[in-house]
Amino acid sequence: MMPEINAPAPAPLPDVTPGLPPPAAVVVMGVAGCGKSSLAQALGAVLGWAVLEGDDFHGAQNKALMQAGIALTDADRAGWLDALAVELSGHPGGVLLSCSALKRAYRERLRHARPGLRFLYLDLDEAAAQARVQARALGHFFPPTLVRSQFAALEPPTAEPGVLRLDALQSPAALREAALAWLALVPRGPSEPNEESTP
């Protein structure tokens, strides 16, 4: 009789929090210039989920402060976070939110509004962020002079559950595929072909 062979259990995906179901709400987060809006849009196109742009929910006063080169305080961001929390809880289906979510307290506010919320953290160094924001400066209310303040406020979420860190310098296709694999989600219909680009 052939001896019984016990095949090893498949290894889990890296950084996946065991026991969590496939999420229906994801925040794509990071400092200005990290590419969070682009990744959220790319994932939304594949998954057919609603996509929310966090900057759209800043009030006129916050936008005026940033245009003047004044960094927002916790108090300035409180109403913005409340509006984002309402939006997250108001989309019972799949939803993606692009949002800086710089501090743990901000992320906890969003988690409270949407239990099971997951975060894709686009990690980018200050020099690269500065260059990207400088390149898009024309017509955007967030000036390059505020990039340093974002890094001063940033509390990286890498020790928190339900978070995947991504190198923001990877190609858009690589970021999209890594996010989909980690979220364990199958796109609607055939997936798009991989793109080749230089980080």
Side-chain angles (χ1 to χ4, degrees), residues 43-65:
L43 292 173
V46 174
L47 297 170
W49 289 9
V51 179
L52 305 174
E53 171 55 63
D55 284 346
D56 292 344
F57 297 91
H58 276 298
Q61 182 175 351
N62 279 4
K63 290 182 178 179
L65 287 171

Side-chain angles (χ1 to χ4, degrees), residues 122-123 132 165-175 178 197-199:
L122 288 167
D123 193 4
R132 287 185 175 187
R165 176 198 167 274
L166 293 168
D167 180 355
L169 294 179
Q170 292 185 84
S171 71
L175 291 169
S197 61
T198 303

Side-chain angles (χ1 to χ4, degrees), residues 12-190:
L13 289 169
D15 294 306
V16 173
T17 304
L20 286 179
V26 177
V27 173
V28 185
M29 63 158 290
V31 297
C34 71
K36 51 189 176 286
S37 297
S38 296
L39 180 56
Q41 291 289 346
L43 292 173
V46 174
L47 297 170
W49 289 9
V51 179
L52 305 174
E53 171 55 63
D55 284 346
D56 292 344
F57 297 91
H58 276 298
Q61 182 175 351
N62 279 4
K63 290 182 178 179
L65 287 171
M66 288 185 279
Q67 284 177 324
I70 301 171
L72 299 183
T73 66
D74 290 348
D76 293 326
R77 291 190 176 104
W80 174 62
L81 290 166
D82 287 344
L84 296 180
V86 169
E87 289 295 324
L88 283 174
S89 61
H91 285 79
V95 60
L96 292 139
L97 168 65
S98 60
C99 166
S100 56
L102 297 174
K103 296 186 179 183
R104 181 162 190 160
Y106 302 169
R107 298 187 289 273
E108 292 300 330
R109 174 70 185 91
L110 300 178
R111 287 183 176 112
H112 180 74
R114 188 68 183 257
L117 185 64
R118 305 283 287 278
F119 288 80
L120 296 169
Y121 168 45
L122 288 167
D123 193 4
L124 188 67
D125 65 73
E126 186 172 342
Q130 186 74 45
R132 287 185 175 187
V133 173
Q134 184 71 49
R136 74 171 194 194
L138 188 63
H140 198 284
F141 64 81
F142 189 93
T145 54
L146 285 181
V147 169
R148 179 161 293 181
S149 71
Q150 293 234 312
F151 281 88
L154 177 64
E155 297 171 1
T158 46
E160 300 170 22
V163 174
L164 175 65
R165 176 198 167 274
L166 293 168
D167 180 355
L169 294 179
Q170 292 185 84
S171 71
L175 291 169
R176 181 191 64 213
E177 296 309 313
L180 288 171
W182 178 69
L183 296 169
L185 293 169
V186 178
R188 298 186 313 167

